Structures are given as C-alpha cells and as structure tokens.
Amino acid sequence: LSCVIAVSVIYRQGCSVPSRTPPSIADLIRDNILEYLNDRGASNVPNLYETTIKAVEYPLIDAVLEFCDHNQSQAARILGISRTTLAKKINEYGLIDPFLLED
C-alpha cells in the first residue's frame, strides 16, 4: 500500500515513475549460461550446445502445452513446428495430458 501511495504522490507531482522492462528470454538464458560456465569452468562443460538445447526444449514444450490446455494443434502453431514434430517431442519427453490420466 505504501508503494501505491508513493507512486500516486510522484504522479501528482508530475514526476515520471521509472518503468522496468522485463528481460527477454534470450537475456535470461544468456545470463544463466554465463553463470553456469563461471561456476564450472570451460574444461568441465562438455557438449554445452546439446545440453542447453535439451534443457530448454523440455520446459518450453511443457509450458506451451499447459498454456494451450494440451491442445497440440494450437501448441504446434505457437511453437512454430509441425504437429507431427510436436507429437514426437511429447512422446520423447513423456509429456502426457493430465486430463487423460483422470478416470
């Protein structure tokens, strides 16, 4: 509440409230990869490309499926891949529609 009041006072006084643009997905991934490399050192990170692609692909597909209530056609459109490719990835990662598990 005190924050809302402070912003209201600033607004009434004609001052601008600094807006914070959220970081892009690319920026978040880049920052995390740099942190990963710094923590492990270059010699302890074999096959970073494949490891990163796999680490990002699973949660990406999972999140989009959840967002689309597991509508695979809609999810494939959002992801920019064919429905066949999405079905293969769903099978590969074992992503099952939770509604199919209900009795």
Side-chain angles (χ1 to χ4, degrees):
L1 181 61
S2 61
C3 183
V4 172
I5 294 169
V7 169
S8 296
V9 170
I10 291 169
Y11 182 76
R12 284 187 192 153
Q13 292 175 349
C15 301
S16 63
V17 178
S19 64
R20 182 170 177 243
T21 304
S24 69
I25 292 174
D27 289 339
L28 293 171
I29 292 170
R30 181 183 184 282
D31 292 347
N32 279 285
I33 290 172
L34 284 171
E35 183 177 337
Y36 180 86
L37 289 169
N38 286 324
D39 288 347
R40 285 160 184 77
S43 61
N44 294 324
V45 186
N47 206 4
L48 181 60
Y49 179 81
E50 185 177 330
T51 302
T52 303
I53 296 303
K54 286 185 178 184
V56 171
E57 188 175 51
Y58 173 86
L60 171 66
I61 292 171
D62 187 43
V64 172
L65 283 168
E66 183 179 326
F67 177 77
C68 297
D69 293 325
H70 288 265
N71 179 318
Q72 292 182 20
S73 295
Q74 184 180 7
R77 277 193 300 278
I78 289 172
L79 291 166
I81 60 177
S82 72
R83 182 155 173 339
T84 303
T85 299
L86 177 59
K88 288 177 186 175
K89 295 294 182 182
I90 289 170
N91 187 44
E92 177 182 337
Y93 291 119
L95 294 167
I96 300 169
D97 184 344
F99 298 112
L100 297 177
L101 299 176
E102 295 178 1
D103 291 324

